[in-house]
């Protein structure tokens, strides 16, 4: 069965799916994206994802390529045509095609590309497997709240992590504060069992998984504080994890070579993994 990709109104086999060389996404990374998890064939948190997409586009003054209500239909159609049960769907909107120039003309037709990725359904066991991270300087811009396709700092930080033999990196700013992961939000649990994640502002992406976990953690009666935490504090934490639509709740068991807790997913992290997997299972 060929993989099917949606490109500007057409459902094309993956190998024929392409965009113009003067698409501003290709030339300037002038575009935005979303990644939404799929569980049991259902989209997880589609409305908050579409809200964030809308906001990102508003901030960059890119028009909607199709009306908002059409997104749900197209996303589900791509899932159906690819027979995806578990995995994720990638959606990218760029400003459109124009002769290469930093200034852009009015009235461009935005490009819309959507495709899926199938993965095995996460279980408590697979989701609880932790990984190590290293810190990397946060060299990104001051609008990390916009989910743009301009991801070079994350590419370089992940590459640096790979070279150090670990799975991922956490960005740390000039004040030694952990901002977030290369493609995830960062969390720690303190010795006093306080769950901490950085508050949202223009220096991090407001993760949809982050929002959902905050709600699940609050429902579970956990003590939560949204505040900056330093790299030092993270390295002394009893638990650490990241959150994202693709990695879900991912235990972080080593930071810069220092073991966190007992080197396995901690109690609070496990509890949140369980709650989050249940939450995903109840998506509709
Ligand atoms: N921060 C960054 C920089 C990211 O790229 C992502 C995932 N795209 C996240 C956080 C997590 O966002 P979400 O939970 O919506 O996947």
């Amino acid at each position: 069965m060929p993989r099917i990709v949606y490109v500007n109104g057409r459902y094309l086999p993956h190998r024929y799916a392409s965009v113009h060389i003067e698409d501003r996404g290709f030339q300037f990374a002038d575009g935005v994206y979303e990644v939404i998890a799929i569980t049991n064939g259902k989209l997880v948190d589609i409305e908050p994802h579409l809200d964030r997409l809308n906001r990102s586009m508003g901030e960059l003054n890119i028009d909607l390529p199709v009306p908002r209500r059409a997104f749900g239909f197209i996303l589900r159609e791509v899932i159906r045509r690819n027979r995806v049960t578990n995995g994720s769907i990638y959606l990218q909107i760029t400003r459109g095609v124009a002769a290469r120039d930093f200034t852009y003309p009015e009235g461009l037709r935005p490009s819309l590309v959507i495709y899926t990725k199938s993965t095995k359904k996460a279980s408590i066991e697979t989701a609880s497997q932790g990984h190590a991270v290293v810190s990397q300087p946060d060299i990104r811009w001051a609008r990390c709240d916009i989910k743009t396709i301009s991801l070079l700092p994350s590419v370089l930080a992940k590459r640096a992590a790979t070279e150090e033999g670990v799975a991922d990196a956490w960005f740390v700013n000039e004040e030694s504060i952990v901002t977030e992961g290369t493609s995830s939000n960062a969390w720690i649990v303190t010795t006093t069992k306080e769950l901490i994640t950085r508050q949202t502002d223009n220096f991090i992406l407001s993760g949809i998984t982050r929002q959902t976990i905050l709600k699940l953690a609050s429902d579970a009666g956990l003590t939560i504080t949204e505040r900056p935490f330093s790299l030092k504090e993270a390295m002394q934490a009893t638990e650490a994890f990241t959150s994202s639509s693709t990695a879900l709740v991912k235990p972080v068991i080593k930071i810069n070579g220092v073991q966190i807790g007992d080197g396995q997913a901690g109690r609070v992290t496990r509890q949140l993994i369980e709650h989050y997997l249940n939450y995903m299972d109840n998506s509709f």
Side-chain angles (χ1 to χ4, degrees):
M1 191 187 76
R3 282 178 69 197
I4 301 296
V5 177
Y6 176 95
V7 186
N8 295 328
R10 299 165 74 199
Y11 295 90
L12 300 169
H14 188 268
R15 58 191 295 225
Y16 299 120
S18 58
V19 290
H20 197 279
I21 60 152
E22 286 196 304
D23 189 287
R24 290 183 61 91
F26 182 59
Q27 300 280 5
F28 297 108
D30 188 356
V32 298
Y33 75 109
E34 283 294 327
V35 181
I36 310 174
I38 302 164
T39 303
N40 308 324
K42 305 279 190 266
L43 290 156
V44 180
D45 280 337
I46 174 155
E47 292 306 324
H49 277 284
L50 292 181
D51 288 344
R52 184 173 66 185
L53 178 69
N54 218 27
R55 180 180 179 278
S56 296
M57 293 173 67
E59 293 301 302
L60 299 184
N61 201 23
I62 298 176
D63 293 332
L64 276 178
V66 295
R68 173 164 173 149
R69 64 181 180 283
F71 278 104
F73 173 80
I74 301 169
L75 289 165
R76 289 184 182 98
E77 185 60 15
V78 179
I79 292 171
R80 191 187 70 77
R81 288 187 188 227
N82 288 282
R83 296 190 200 152
V84 182
T85 312
N86 294 291
S88 58
I89 191 156
Y90 178 84
L91 176 167
Q92 174 173 312
I93 297 168
T94 66
R95 196 179 300 279
V97 177
R100 189 178 184 282
D101 190 349
F102 284 86
T103 38
Y104 54 86
E106 288 299 310
L108 286 184
R109 193 166 63 95
S111 307
L112 173 58
V113 170
I114 303 176
Y115 58 93
T116 55
K117 183 176 171 187
S118 285
T119 51
K120 275 210 177 118
K121 188 173 178 180
S123 64
I124 299 275
E125 291 70 39
T126 56
S128 303
Q129 276 160 22
H131 69 197
V133 302
V134 286
S135 60
Q136 280 291 306
D138 195 343
I139 57 167
R140 301 173 303 165
W141 68 334
R143 290 308 307 271
C144 296
D145 56 310
I146 306 172
K147 198 164 169 58
T148 82
I149 57 172
S150 173
L151 294 168
L152 204 44
S154 292
V155 169
L156 297 178
K158 279 225 195 224
R159 177 69 203 162
T162 308
E163 278 167 8
E164 292 197 38
V166 301
D168 204 358
W170 274 12
F171 283 127
V172 173
N173 71 14
E174 283 171 357
E175 284 85 47
S176 292
I177 298 293
V178 174
T179 47
E180 59 183 333
T182 54
S183 57
S184 59
N185 290 114
W187 303 70
I188 57 168
V189 180
T190 64
T191 43
T192 54
K193 291 274 165 277
E194 198 184 348
L195 181 61
I196 298 173
T197 193
R198 192 186 189 287
Q199 77 284 0
T200 53
D201 54 21
N202 52 321
F203 294 108
I204 69 165
L205 183 75
S206 176
I208 305 304
T209 321
R210 176 187 177 282
Q211 280 171 30
T212 300
I213 292 168
L214 282 174
K215 191 175 169 304
L216 295 173
S218 152
D219 291 350
L222 298 175
T223 311
I224 311 158
T225 313
E226 292 180 66
R227 66 156 171 88
F229 60 88
S230 67
L231 177 61
K232 186 168 169 224
E233 202 178 357
M235 288 165 77
Q236 291 168 351
T238 48
E239 300 183 33
F241 64 90
T242 56
S243 64
S244 74
S245 301
T246 46
L248 317 179
V249 178
K250 183 84 179 161
V252 168
I253 53 168
K254 227 182 226 186
I255 304 174
N256 287 349
V258 172
Q259 183 177 298
I260 306 301
D262 61 3
Q264 289 180 0
R267 204 180 56 82
V268 174
T269 310
R270 273 178 202 277
Q271 195 183 348
L272 290 172
I273 290 171
E274 212 164 299
H275 286 307
Y276 192 68
L277 292 183
N278 279 339
Y279 175 83
M280 288 179 85
D281 264 337
N282 292 315
S283 295
F284 54 87

